Amino acid sequence: MARPEKIRLGEVLIQQKLLSEEQLNQALADQKRTGRKLGRVFVENGFVTEEQISGALARQLDIPYINLKFYNISDQLVRLLPETAARRFRALVLEDRPNTVLVGVSDPTDLFAYDEIARLLKKGVELAVVNETEVLHTIDRIYRRTGEITDFAKEVEADIGDAFVDFGAMTANPGLEEAPVVKLLQSVFDDATQVRASDIHIEPQEGRLAIRFRIDGVLHLQTEADMKIATPLALRLKLMADLDISEKRLPQDGRFAMKVKNQRIDVRISTMPTQYGESVVMRLLNQAGNTLRLESIGMPRKLLERFRAVVQRPNGLVLVTGPTGSGKTTTLYSALAELNSVEKKLITVEDPVEYRLQGINQVQVNEKIELSFARVLRSALRQDPDIVLVGEMRDQETAQIGLRAAMTGHLVLSTLHTNDAASTPLRLMDMGVPRYMVGGSLQAVLAQRLVRVVCESCSTPYAPTPAERTWLRPELGDFAEQAQFFHGKGCPHCNGTGYRGRTGVYELLEMTRAVTDAANHPDPAHFLKVAHAEMAGETLRRHGVQLAVQGRTTVAEAMRISNQLED
């Protein structure tokens, strides 16, 4: 194709009736004030979507628009363009033709990018328009650091030999950033961030060191290395977290912060002595760009409206329950983000503080100095708060203080580890909280789980097994035989897993008059009967089945949630 011509994006969008003159003028003013790209201003202001911009450019220039979600990308072809150029020009090599190369770019009007890409590839270039966000996701996936991590691991091994490394001396060394162990850790963190890993596991095993990432709730092996580097890695991480490097016989917990690709990552670290050395697990908490909104976490519309109404009440206790890693903190902070205003004082008591929100007073529990949940909560209530978030109801004392606060005019949000919503009030009573306090203060219980979402790029219909059909029948009846279900075949976009991302599964129990009266009844079975009647079948199981029918998750994932409830 001929070298592209420069065009004005705003004029193109107006010609194609995707943008008004008023919106263009507002966007130009915003661009002048902030310095952002005009296309990004259009999208962030909600005037148009990235797909609309890409389609408009493709029509104007008479070149194809390619949706990368459904395009079979070759990693080998993409790597023909160096990563720095791919990121700089938002470009991907899509096809290698006899005389030309098809390159997808987010801005086909960038003349300098066209010339530079042609120079680097040493071939004629044909352009296609692609979505910028999808380009960056694809670059993150393909230019991973797996090979680099393995190479650095070998470099660390060679650097160590059989001698002990004095990491105390390395800390004082201004050339520390060049140390192989630090390069290795930097590559591990970079790669984990690229693939959206929530945890990094460094596990000494017999004859080898395994490094695994947890992605969408499932562990994946990243690389294996020589056992020689296990001790240096553990020591270096302990130094970063300010832990006792001389103590190898006892578990330790700590945290540190780091920057990965201009993103602030808070790392919670836990070490534990095992048979072959110290196992290290790190939870990654990305503090950059956390737009916490209740609409985005997967609640059904009707349940979302009910939950919103509950958290808007001036007082009472609202609990979110589920196992570790089920998204409870994200749900509570999404609610806090909506409640946060100048007129209200919000205090959180957490271990640890996982999200940072402006305008909220956040306190981290520290058991080492006897700064417990109960002690901080007592002090917090003397700070005249309107809303208090307690990270977890861990014991009777904390639960009773929280419930008393709810009875005296505060809205208290917290979490509890229970299987479902209906059993939560009974769990509070088992902890020693008086029945009258539970019935008088508890407003609602939201139970939740996370299920993996079928990858959009390789989603395909499939027939459930006879066992899955049998499991579906109580919820769907005869429709279980007619409904169409989907799963992911596995593709480069989802690293062959068939899943990409997770969404929430929910059930909500509101403490109506009938449920409150039942809470004061001595028979737990009577309470459960009334609670289940109040929920009218809107359970975690039913929501999981609905997601499977919608094609958002698989029947196997919905069954996994049900099995957790039955354990």
Side-chain angles (χ1 to χ4, degrees):
M1 64 170 281
R3 189 170 182 264
E5 297 180 4
K6 193 70 179 174
I7 61 175
R8 293 182 180 273
L9 178 59
E11 292 177 1
V12 170
L13 294 174
I14 289 175
Q15 286 172 10
Q16 299 189 21
K17 295 182 169 50
L18 296 171
L19 195 72
S20 68
E21 289 280 359
E22 293 77 17
Q23 289 173 326
L24 175 59
N25 291 333
Q26 182 183 335
L28 288 170
D30 288 347
Q31 181 196 32
K32 186 176 181 180
R33 187 180 71 256
T34 63
R36 292 175 297 170
K37 283 188 173 182
L38 188 58
R40 181 53 50 192
V41 174
F42 290 148
V43 173
E44 290 178 358
N45 286 357
F47 297 156
V48 291
T49 64
E50 283 191 63
E51 289 77 10
Q52 287 174 318
I53 290 177
S54 299
L57 288 172
R59 288 188 292 272
Q60 182 71 20
L61 297 171
D62 195 23
I63 59 177
Y65 165 61
I66 293 175
N67 188 337
L68 294 177
K69 285 183 180 178
F70 308 105
Y71 191 85
N72 189 16
I73 295 171
S74 164
D75 293 11
Q76 186 176 358
L77 282 179
V78 169
R79 288 197 180 97
L80 292 175
L81 201 60
E83 181 181 0
T84 51
R87 289 191 183 278
R88 180 182 179 188
F89 303 129
R90 305 293 195 259
L92 296 171
V93 180
L94 301 176
E95 292 181 25
D96 189 5
R97 297 169 175 174
N99 300 311
T100 60
V101 178
L102 178 66
V103 178
V105 291
S106 63
D107 181 6
T109 68
D110 188 336
L111 308 182
F112 175 77
Y114 178 87
D115 292 340
E116 190 66 11
I117 290 169
R119 184 186 69 79
L120 289 168
L121 296 176
K122 297 180 175 60
K123 216 170 185 183
V125 172
E126 295 185 58
L127 295 181
V129 187
V130 290
N131 181 308
E132 181 177 358
T133 299
E134 289 300 323
V135 168
L136 292 174
H137 285 164
T138 304
I139 289 172
D140 284 344
R141 176 180 61 78
I142 290 176
Y143 293 98
R144 288 189 61 185
R145 296 174 175 259
T146 303
E148 186 179 292
I149 289 170
T150 303
D151 290 344
F152 280 147
K154 290 177 180 174
E155 190 178 336
V156 173
E157 178 190 343
D159 192 61
I160 292 164
D162 295 319
F164 173 73
V165 176
D166 184 357
F167 278 83
M170 285 180 66
T171 307
N173 186 346
L176 174 64
E177 65 276 5
E178 299 303 322
V181 71
V182 179
K183 289 186 199 171
L184 170 59
L185 286 172
Q186 184 65 52
S187 297
V188 168
F189 283 116
D190 283 351
D191 196 43
T193 305
Q194 285 182 2
V195 297
R196 304 171 295 108
S198 61
D199 301 84
I200 300 172
H201 292 239
I202 300 176
E203 303 165 321
Q205 298 173 7
E206 187 175 10
R208 65 191 178 95
L209 178 72
I211 299 177
R212 298 194 289 172
F213 293 165
R214 188 177 294 280
I215 305 168
D216 294 335
V218 178
L219 282 169
H220 300 267
L221 181 65
Q222 163 37 269
T223 192
E224 291 182 334
D226 194 284
M227 269 293 294
K228 287 180 183 176
I229 73 171
T231 298
L233 278 182
L235 285 171
R236 180 63 211 154
L237 288 166
K238 282 182 173 181
L239 283 170
M240 292 167 70
D242 199 23
L243 299 180
D244 183 355
I245 62 172
S246 65
E247 180 56 76
K248 300 179 182 179
R249 300 165 300 169
L250 295 173
Q252 295 188 67
D253 296 301
R255 67 186 301 158
F256 59 90
M258 63 186 306
K259 269 199 168 184
V260 179
K261 296 187 176 179
N262 294 320
Q263 300 178 57
R264 178 190 165 91
I265 306 292
D266 279 3
V267 183
R268 285 160 46 189
I269 179 172
S270 170
T271 69
M272 184 176 69
T274 67
Q275 183 179 3
Y276 299 107
E278 283 188 285
S279 171
V280 180
V281 176
M282 291 173 284
R283 168 68 55 89
L284 308 183
L285 302 167
N286 190 341
Q287 300 296 336
N290 283 320
T291 51
L292 297 163
R293 296 183 300 112
L294 284 172
E295 293 92 343
S296 63
I297 61 177
M299 279 192 200
R301 183 177 56 81
K302 288 183 179 178
L303 188 146
L304 174 58
E305 290 172 358
R306 290 169 56 206
F307 183 69
R308 270 206 172 111
V310 168
V311 298
Q312 292 289 345
R313 294 174 187 172
N315 55 54
L317 172 65
V318 179
L319 288 175
V320 179
T321 77
T324 301
S326 59
K328 300 186 296 296
T329 303
T330 300
T331 298
L332 286 177
Y333 262 94
S334 298
L336 275 188
E338 290 197 2
L339 296 170
N340 190 13
S341 68
V342 178
E343 295 81 17
K344 294 177 182 175
K345 176 154 185 167
L346 283 71
I347 298 178
T348 74
V349 186
E350 303 170 77
D351 183 21
V353 174
E354 294 197 17
Y355 295 103
R356 289 172 170 81
L357 288 181
Q358 284 191 340
I360 294 180
N361 302 278
Q362 297 173 278
V363 183
Q364 181 157 317
V365 169
N366 188 343
E367 298 289 353
K368 293 178 182 176
I369 59 172
E370 298 182 358
L371 194 65
S372 63
F373 273 105
R375 186 172 182 179
V376 177
L377 187 51
R378 283 196 203 94
S379 298
L381 294 175
R382 292 194 287 270
Q383 292 278 311
D384 187 29
D386 296 288
I387 300 168
V388 179
L389 184 148
V390 184
E392 185 182 344
M393 294 283 185
R394 290 188 177 178
D395 51 42
Q396 178 186 1
E397 186 181 16
T398 306
Q400 288 194 350
I401 296 171
L403 282 160
R404 285 198 188 98
M407 292 177 74
T408 55
H410 303 88
L411 177 65
V412 181
L413 309 177
S414 190
T415 69
L416 196 64
H417 289 276
T418 58
N419 270 350
D420 56 18
S423 64
T424 301
L426 298 178
R427 171 74 180 116
L428 285 173
M429 296 174 202
D430 288 342
M431 291 169 66
V433 178
R435 292 179 185 277
Y436 78 88
M437 201 175 277
V438 175
S441 299
L442 185 60
Q443 296 286 336
V445 180
L446 180 77
Q448 68 179 74
R449 299 287 190 279
L450 291 176
V451 293
R452 290 182 291 171
V453 175
V454 174
C455 174
E456 288 183 9
S457 302
C458 61
S459 176
T460 185
Y462 83 107
T465 65
E468 290 175 337
R469 296 275 189 200
T470 301
W471 181 82
L472 289 164
R473 203 164 286 118
E475 292 290 342
L476 299 178
D478 294 339
F479 186 63
E481 306 297 329
Q482 305 160 15
Q484 189 171 56
F485 298 94
F486 292 81
H487 70 167
K489 294 185 297 184
C491 69
H493 294 276
C494 58
N495 295 316
T497 64
Y499 298 98
R500 182 174 173 82
R502 291 189 290 176
T503 190
V505 178
Y506 303 91
E507 67 182 19
L508 180 66
L509 171 65
E510 291 188 67
M511 296 295 287
T512 60
R513 176 59 64 85
V515 179
T516 300
D517 290 344
N520 292 312
H521 195 280
D523 183 8
H526 173 70
F527 173 80
L528 290 174
K529 181 179 178 181
V530 174
H532 286 133
E534 177 66 31
M535 292 167 67
E538 295 298 325
T539 61
L540 289 167
R541 176 187 174 117
R542 177 170 293 182
H543 188 196
V545 170
Q546 289 170 349
L547 290 174
V549 170
Q550 294 164 9
R552 298 209 57 213
T553 193
T554 60
V555 178
E557 279 289 285
M559 287 180 70
R560 180 175 62 83
I561 296 301
S562 181
N563 292 337
Q564 286 179 354
L565 297 173
E566 293 165 6
D567 288 345

